[in-house]
Amino acid sequence: MALPKFAFLDGKILPYAEAKVGLLTHALNYGTGCFAGIRAYWNAEEEDLLVFRGSDHFVRFLESTRLLSMELQFSVERLVGSLLELLQKEGLREDCYIRPLAFLSEETIGVRLHGLKASVSMVAFPFGKYLDRDEGAHLTISSWRRIDDDVIPPRGKITGGYANSAFAKTDAQNAGFDDAILLDTNGKISEATVSNVFLVRRGEVITPKTTDSVLEGITRRTVITLLKRELGCPFVERSIDRTELFLAEEAFLAGTGVEIVPVTRVDHRTIGSGQPGPVTEALRRVFFSAVHGRLPKYRSWCEAVYSSSPRVLARSETVETGA
Ligand code: PMP
């Protein structure tokens, strides 16, 4: 992958190559970091880049830092401002992905959360599809169980917790599947490796509760709003058995990376008709209009990069290339 030109690190924008960490960095050794994944969409008519629900992502990001007992001086507004500034510096005019990261940055040995310095970084780069399966993905139910709130809280987007997703993803791909769904410790469906799971059964849309070992997805919230307000679908959050997925009329994944991907097979069983279903297709249409800023009702979810006010922008110190 092509590397970004710049990076935000602890309040400054640096050339990417100069934003480095040492080998003893605590988070690199112990997984004591947390992150966000945000998309920005290029709107060709407006010739502007629109960050989708940046503030909501940063609210969850700061919640994750609190779970890790990090002491940081950044507000949501400051993080959004720094993100807009970084995107302007990168000058991207295409769909892209932003990766904010907060990490215990002291170079020291000793497993703990307390009494350690934390850093915040951000990078942005062009990004296409994460899971290229618009025609429908084939998933497996992983033999790995999802981490639980009393193991590594999945409610926080904690770097160390992603080893759990990585085990499941690699085993799924090695076995010929596109991705995996993990069951929680009670044997109920939690989520896929980087996305929330929805299914449609008897006309009702169902997704696991936020207490069923899932990340509180921003796309999940977007989907719930659009299902209720735009599609008028009956909707419920409740625990889901594996076999309900097998019997579903439709299933789909929702996340910033995957966006909305239909699930048409699970462990070689066909879901519904075996094609993306009508609810999933209608939802995808309204979702992609919303993220591109084309629905006035949801325009407040989008933050324009190039026409944003300079007041928000002039907050980070920009460090020019050390040439
Ligand atoms: N679950 C997991 C484990 C994830 O990594 C993600 C991606 N952030 C999601 C769900 C979806 O969350 P969001 O819609 O906020 O990207």
Side-chain angles (χ1 to χ4, degrees):
M1 123 180 190
L3 295 176
K5 293 198 282 281
F6 296 97
F8 169 92
L9 182 61
D10 292 332
K12 294 179 180 158
I13 293 182
L14 307 165
Y16 178 81
E18 289 175 24
K20 297 258 193 252
V21 297
L23 291 178
L24 278 171
T25 300
H26 198 273
L28 184 60
N29 289 264
Y30 302 123
T32 47
C34 59
F35 63 103
I38 306 172
R39 272 189 188 266
Y41 291 89
W42 179 245
N43 180 316
E45 301 89 71
E46 295 179 26
E47 297 216 8
D48 214 332
L49 192 58
L50 304 179
V51 178
F52 189 65
R53 301 194 77 163
S55 302
D56 295 314
H57 280 280
F58 284 124
V59 167
R60 187 182 65 196
F61 179 68
L62 291 180
E63 284 180 353
S64 295
T65 68
R66 279 165 51 204
L67 290 177
L68 290 172
S69 307
M70 287 179 180
E71 284 173 21
L72 291 172
Q73 302 309 319
F74 293 97
S75 63
V76 167
E77 295 69 32
R78 171 88 198 275
L79 290 166
V80 170
S82 299
L83 166 57
L84 296 176
E85 187 183 1
L86 178 69
L87 286 168
Q88 287 204 340
K89 286 273 301 174
E90 285 286 348
L92 294 165
R93 294 172 65 85
E94 59 192 300
D95 292 351
C96 58
Y97 189 78
I98 302 109
R99 166 51 49 80
L101 176 69
F103 57 105
L104 294 181
S105 49
E106 263 183 62
E107 295 176 67
T108 186
I109 289 293
V111 177
R112 63 187 188 281
L113 295 176
H114 61 277
L116 294 166
K117 186 169 86 74
S119 291
V120 178
S121 67
M122 241 188 280
V123 288
F125 44 88
F127 200 61
K129 287 184 186 298
Y130 181 86
L131 193 61
D132 199 1
R133 285 286 180 274
D134 286 355
E135 73 287 5
H138 187 187
L139 305 191
T140 183
I141 304 289
S142 183
S143 62
W144 299 96
R145 290 294 173 113
R146 185 74 180 125
I147 46 173
D148 214 337
D149 195 50
D150 55 3
V151 179
I152 301 175
R155 173 171 291 103
K157 213 166 153 52
I158 297 172
T159 56
Y162 277 79
N164 177 234
S165 290
F167 277 115
K169 178 79 177 187
T170 288
D171 283 2
Q173 287 202 311
N174 285 343
F177 299 98
D178 297 313
D179 196 9
I181 290 175
L182 290 90
L183 302 181
D184 67 12
T185 46
N186 298 315
K188 305 296 180 189
I189 285 175
S190 64
E191 57 187 338
T193 58
V194 293
S195 57
N196 293 109
V197 177
F198 287 77
L199 57 86
V200 184
R201 183 143 190 250
R202 301 197 177 108
E204 185 178 53
V205 183
I206 314 169
T207 197
K209 302 190 298 288
T210 54
T211 45
D212 286 347
S213 299
V214 301
L215 182 75
E216 295 172 345
I218 309 298
T219 318
R220 179 184 182 280
R221 265 158 63 192
T222 303
V223 162
I224 294 170
T225 300
L226 297 176
L227 282 170
K228 287 183 180 168
R229 292 211 206 139
E230 303 306 312
L231 307 184
C233 286
F235 167 76
V236 63
E237 292 174 58
R238 64 162 174 81
S239 298
I240 302 175
D241 283 333
R242 171 203 309 239
T243 50
E244 288 185 284
L245 183 58
F246 295 160
L247 298 176
E249 288 116 52
E250 297 181 39
F252 59 88
L253 302 179
T256 301
V258 306
E259 300 167 307
I260 295 174
V261 168
V263 176
T264 48
R265 280 185 299 161
V266 176
D267 285 325
H268 303 281
R269 293 160 173 88
T270 300
I271 304 300
S273 66
Q275 301 296 321
V279 173
T280 312
E281 290 292 68
L283 180 67
R284 279 168 58 85
R285 277 193 293 277
V286 66
F287 174 81
F288 284 108
S289 295
V291 298
H292 284 93
R294 296 194 191 106
L295 300 180
K297 217 165 146 186
Y298 302 107
R299 182 66 193 205
S300 61
W301 282 341
C302 306
E303 187 101 44
V305 171
Y306 296 113
S307 55
S308 62
S309 100
R311 185 182 51 78
V312 190
L313 297 179
R315 288 203 181 156
S316 316
E317 186 186 328
T318 298
V319 178
E320 294 300 341
T321 19

